[in-house]
Amino acid sequence: MRRQITGYSNPTVKHLRSLRDKKHRRREGKFLVEGLRLLTDALDSGRVPEMLVMAEARDPHPLLATLERAVDEAGGEIIETTPDILGKITGKDNPQIVAGMFAEFDTSLKLIDRSNASIWLVAQALRDPGNLGTMLRTGDALGAGGLILIDDCADPFSVEAVRASMGAVFTQQVAQAPWSDFLRWLRGDAEQLPGQLVAASLRDAVAYRGAPYSAPCFVLIGNESRGLPEEYEAACDLRVTMPMRGRADSLNAAVAAAVLGYEVLASLDG
Amino acid sequence: MRRQITGYSNPTVKHLRSLRDKKHRRREGKFLVEGLRLLTDALDSGRVPEMLVMAEARDPHPLLATLERAVDEAGGEIIETTPDILGKITGKDNPQIVAGMFAEFDTSLKLIDRSNASIWLVAQALRDPGNLGTMLRTGDALGAGGLILIDDCADPFSVEAVRASMGAVFTQQVAQAPWSDFLRWLRGDAEQLPGQLVAASLRDAVAYRGAPYSAPCFVLIGNESRGLPEEYEAACDLRVTMPMRGRADSLNAAVAAAVLGYEVLASLDG
């Protein structure tokens, strides 16, 4: 279905615009993705937007035509509007020529099949959406299965997280769970399930280089300013530390995930 | 010297506020640092602000008292003002209780003594100040000597870069230079100077793991979206690549610097 929108006060414009806000995303179960590149990444991963919003008087582009066809075939809606209104929706002065609305993915832990990958990234109380998106991007590069968000984290469906993920939000599985649920899922009830939980830590830790990693390896990174709670670290199978040769005692969270993740990858491959 | 400022239109307020803008920072040769933690990091590294701006009715804090003493002793200026005006200066609704103005550091390449460290990070056309600050923070952790910014990079003295550096802007040396100047400095004129230039690359590259790194090692990372120009890579002594197991063909620039930097550290230490 196709239609044109020319008015700022159109309900669809208001609805799309409201998705910049986490509360509305949660209530509607939808999120926005801006730009042809990210939307093409989504399509390549089999994700078709329910609604496509395009600027009038845009330059033709073969990828955009492909996107339009996919949305049409999936029975989605295609909206043409002015660049100004598209800017109002995305909150940008220089908006991309296209945005898409997707249904949020199911982030239940039970959807994760740990046998799908040797590495899984796990973040606890991660507050920065840029760090979250960067961890998704790193996970994609590592061949990780996905990112498990523990406790109160930034929103993986925020524009900042989606953008920083460079499309990896569509290829990496994302799950959200409180710590207790995660631990129960990880360890299993009756039988001991496979899975090594490794914390990037400063306490009682061994050198990250050459540590005895095993698959499936769950790499756990704590909050940006507080790190991991002590009892969370205590529940891990392995605590590892990276060299800190300077004044600071920690790395950026997404950087720590990457340095440790690449070490785990090399160890499991080697 | 101490004084109180109660008016928004005070010239000092306007001056400090203007430092949020790169153009004004360049013209004045000053930059702003927000928050007690960063200012304490600066002091620990021997950097005393020329001017300290504090909110009235703040809670007393021993670190703040130390900071005030240091500024007094160095002949700097201490200004007390309302939280509202401090918020206007820093552009925050909830400003920190204190901000400091520093003279920008000299970022001439000739100030860098390569024998001071085994690792140096080098970034080309890095556009994101958060990435820049994160690279400084990683450099501190690696025990690197500093960060050399090639061509047109984000401003290391922006509030975002200083904040992301977590104080490392005060411990890591920062230099800025065009590529041709950097290459001339690196290689030397008559005699061949020591220094291995290593590019994170996708072209004609060897595996980053176990590659023949040597000190002083200059780890070169390219622009966030375009990577390194081909002729820059060609001028490197070694081109290395990280595994990319997913859909994407690159890592976040600060992540790439960290993964490669830690591999170089392990190799030189080992």
Side-chain angles (χ1 to χ4, degrees), chain A residues 75-250:
Chain A
E77 199 169 11
I78 298 180
I79 289 171
E80 289 200 295
T81 191
T82 66
D84 277 2
I85 290 180
L86 193 54
K88 191 183 171 187
I89 289 170
T90 60
K92 301 271 170 59
D93 288 335
N94 294 303
Q96 305 260 7
I97 56 161
V98 61
M101 184 187 78
F102 292 79
E104 287 189 355
F105 316 146
D106 188 340
T107 58
S108 308
L109 203 48
K110 65 176 189 291
L111 292 181
I112 289 201
D113 177 356
R114 70 185 75 191
S115 68
N116 276 346
S118 303
I119 303 178
W120 297 83
L121 299 182
V122 188
Q124 187 265 337
L126 193 75
R127 302 319 301 268
D128 184 90
N131 280 341
L132 197 162
T134 301
M135 285 179 70
L136 285 167
R137 182 180 181 182
T138 300
D140 172 87
L142 285 169
L147 175 62
I148 300 171
L149 301 169
I150 302 295
D151 300 338
D152 189 23
C153 284
D155 183 6
F157 302 112
S158 68
V159 168
E160 298 84 357
V162 171
R163 191 191 303 127
S165 85
M166 296 288 279
V169 71
F170 299 111
T171 59
Q172 290 285 290
Q173 256 191 292
V174 180
Q176 306 188 79
W179 173 250
S180 55
D181 291 7
F182 169 69
L183 219 53
R184 204 172 316 120
W185 171 85
L186 182 72
R187 305 304 191 191
D189 286 324
E191 19 142 36
Q192 184 77 6
L193 294 177
Q196 182 191 44
L197 186 57
V198 178
S201 164
L202 296 171
R203 306 183 190 95
D204 179 29
V206 302
Y208 85 111
R209 191 99 180 170
Y213 304 107
S214 64
C217 184
F218 293 82
V219 173
L220 174 61
I221 305 292
N223 171 267
E224 284 94 341
S225 43
R226 294 184 311 276
L228 288 166
E230 204 168 341
E231 69 270 27
Y232 288 27
E233 290 191 2
C236 291
D237 301 302
L238 186 63
R239 285 160 293 280
V240 298
T241 188
M242 270 84 82
M244 293 287 149
R245 299 285 172 88
R247 281 196 58 256
D249 61 0
S250 69

Side-chain angles (χ1 to χ4, degrees), chain A residues 137 141 209 243 245 250 262 269, chain B residues 137 141 243 245 250 262 269:
Chain A
R137 182 180 181 182
R209 191 99 180 170
R245 299 285 172 88
S250 69
Y262 267 94
D269 269 13
Chain B
R137 182 179 181 182
R245 297 285 171 87
S250 69
Y262 267 94
D269 269 13

Side-chain angles (χ1 to χ4, degrees), chain B residues 185-196:
Chain B
W185 172 85
L186 181 73
R187 304 305 191 191
D189 285 326
E191 16 138 40
Q192 185 77 5
L193 294 177
Q196 181 192 44

Side-chain angles (χ1 to χ4, degrees), chain B residues 32-270:
Chain B
L32 269 188
V33 174
E34 296 172 29
L36 189 53
R37 179 172 174 166
L38 279 175
L39 289 167
T40 299
D41 285 345
L43 192 60
D44 289 348
S45 311
R47 304 279 190 177
V48 181
E50 297 183 348
M51 187 187 284
L52 201 62
V53 192
M54 305 187 299
E56 291 162 348
R58 63 195 177 271
D59 290 328
H61 195 296
L63 289 176
L64 189 55
T66 305
L67 202 55
E68 286 181 60
R69 251 196 322 276
V71 173
D72 263 338
E73 280 167 15
E77 199 170 9
I78 298 181
I79 288 171
E80 289 199 295
T81 191
T82 65
D84 277 3
I85 291 180
L86 193 54
K88 191 184 171 186
I89 289 170
T90 60
K92 301 270 169 61
D93 289 335
N94 294 304
Q96 305 260 8
I97 56 161
V98 61
M101 184 187 78
F102 292 79
E104 287 189 354
F105 316 145
D106 188 339
T107 58
S108 308
L109 203 47
K110 65 176 188 294
L111 293 180
I112 289 199
D113 177 356
R114 70 186 74 190
S115 68
N116 277 346
S118 303
I119 303 178
W120 298 83
L121 298 182
V122 188
Q124 187 265 337
L126 193 75
R127 301 318 301 267
D128 184 89
N131 281 341
L132 197 162
T134 301
M135 285 179 70
L136 285 167
R137 182 179 181 182
T138 301
D140 173 85
L142 285 169
L147 174 63
I148 301 170
L149 301 169
I150 302 295
D151 299 340
D152 189 24
C153 285
D155 183 5
F157 302 111
S158 67
V159 168
E160 299 83 358
V162 171
R163 191 189 305 127
S165 85
M166 296 288 279
V169 72
F170 299 112
T171 58
Q172 290 285 291
Q173 256 191 292
V174 180
Q176 307 189 77
W179 173 250
S180 54
D181 291 6
F182 169 69
L183 218 53
R184 205 173 314 119
W185 172 85
L186 181 73
R187 304 305 191 191
D189 285 326
E191 16 138 40
Q192 185 77 5
L193 294 177
Q196 181 192 44
L197 186 56
V198 178
S201 163
L202 296 170
R203 306 183 189 95
D204 178 29
V206 302
Y208 85 111
R209 191 98 179 170
Y213 304 107
S214 64
C217 184
F218 293 82
V219 173
L220 174 61
I221 304 291
N223 170 267
E224 285 93 342
S225 43
R226 294 183 312 275
L228 288 167
E230 203 167 342
E231 69 270 29
Y232 289 26
E233 290 191 2
C236 291
D237 301 301
L238 185 62
R239 285 160 293 279
V240 297
T241 189
M242 270 83 81
M244 293 287 149
R245 297 285 171 87
R247 280 196 57 253
D249 61 1
S250 69
L251 292 165
N252 163 281
V255 161
V259 171
L260 181 47
Y262 267 94
E263 177 65 23
V264 172
L265 179 64
S267 164
L268 298 181
D269 269 13

